[in-house]
Structure formats: structure tokens, C-alpha cells
Amino acid sequence: MSQPHTLPETLPPALSQESLKPVPPPSDTQKEHVAQPTPLEQLEGQEAQQEQLEGQQEAQLEQLEGQQEAQLEQLEGQQEAQLEQLGVQLEGQQEAQLEGQQEAQLEQLEGQQEAQLEQLGGQQEAQLEQLEGQQEAQLEGHLEGQQEQQEGQQEAQQEAQLGVQSAQPALVPAPGEVQEPQQVQPLKGEVLPPTEQEQQEV
């Protein structure tokens, strides 16, 4: 700083004889000049700050990765537990459904078997009734045929006997003789009724 120009002072006569002492320079009122860092120091400081920031970022990233891994593991555990629970529930539901379906199928099969058995029983009864009717008709027809045949044979035998009797001459007994009744020989397979004499003897 340049010193201000001052006018010379006139000293009193008493002081004029004293030698003038040198006046000290005025004190510097300005602040002391602060030394600024060089560009190299600034770069080094910036690099240190960057390294510090990178270290903080890496630590934060590691912390985040650890948290994410822990969360993922927790989620995986929850999912596995849920899947196991769902699997157990599904197995129970499937078993219940299968049991219900099997029971329904068994009931349906039993109903079908019962219906088939009833149908077969009805068919068998109808067949038996039909056979019985056929047998009865056959027996009746056979018996009627036999009776008609026997009646025809009897009629033929009677007609033959009548023809033989009419062909024989009638014997006239002499006076005083009693004519004995002639016994008619029965034809084969024919039974004649007993005479009055035979009935009395019996």
C-alpha cells in the first residue's frame, strides 16, 4: 500500500533541536495472503474425493446387494412354503375328488348291475312262463290226441264186434232146452263188462 502524502509538520522550537526519529511504516491492515493450492494439489484432492465417493458407493452397493439377496432368499422361502402348502391342499383336493369320483362310479356300476340282473330275471321269468305254456299246450294236445285215438279204436272194435255178431246165425233152442248165453270173446286190448251171472257170483 502506498503511504498517503502528508504535509510536513512544523515542529515547535523546543522540538526542533531534537533529531527527528524515523517514522515506522504503517502496519499492513490487509489480511495476510492465503496460499492457494496448485492445480496438481487440486487434482489430487479431487481424486481423493472421487475415491472416497467410490468407496462409499461400493459400500452402499454391497449393502444393497446384501439386502436384495436377503429379500430374495426370504421371498424364495415364502414361495417354497406357499408352493408346499398349495401342493398339500391340491393333493388333498385331488384325493377327495378321486374318492368322490370312484364312489360315484361304483354306485353307478352297482345300479347298472342291479338293473341288468332285474332285466335278466324278468327275461328268465318270461321264458319260463312261455316254456310252461308250451309244455302245457303240448301235453293237452298229446292227451287229447291219445284220447281221440283210443276212442276211435274203441269205436272201431265195437263196430267190428257188432259186425261179427250180426254175421253169426241165431241158434233157436229146442223145446225144453235153455239157451246159454254165448260169451263174446273180447278183442285184444278191450275189456268187456261182466255178465249178470258173473256179477251174482261175485
Side-chain angles (χ1 to χ4, degrees), residues 26-94:
S27 62
D28 192 359
T29 58
Q30 294 180 353
K31 293 181 180 179
E32 295 181 357
H33 181 70
V34 178
Q36 294 182 355
T38 61
L40 181 61
E41 291 177 351
Q42 289 179 356
L43 289 173
E44 290 178 353
Q46 290 176 358
E47 289 178 356
Q49 289 179 356
Q50 287 180 356
E51 289 177 356
Q52 186 178 2
L53 289 172
E54 288 176 357
Q56 291 177 356
Q57 289 176 355
E58 289 178 357
Q60 290 176 355
L61 288 173
E62 289 177 357
Q63 186 178 1
L64 289 172
E65 288 177 356
Q67 290 177 356
Q68 288 177 354
E69 289 178 358
Q71 289 176 355
L72 287 172
E73 290 177 357
Q74 186 178 1
L75 289 173
E76 288 177 356
Q78 291 176 356
Q79 288 177 352
E80 289 178 358
Q82 289 176 355
L83 289 173
E84 289 177 357
Q85 187 177 2
L86 288 173
V88 171
Q89 290 178 356
L90 289 173
E91 287 178 359
Q93 291 176 357
Q94 289 176 353

Side-chain angles (χ1 to χ4, degrees), residues 114-128:
E114 289 178 358
Q116 290 175 356
L117 290 173
E118 290 178 358
Q119 186 177 2
L120 289 172
Q123 291 176 356
Q124 289 177 354
E125 288 179 359
Q127 289 176 356
L128 288 172

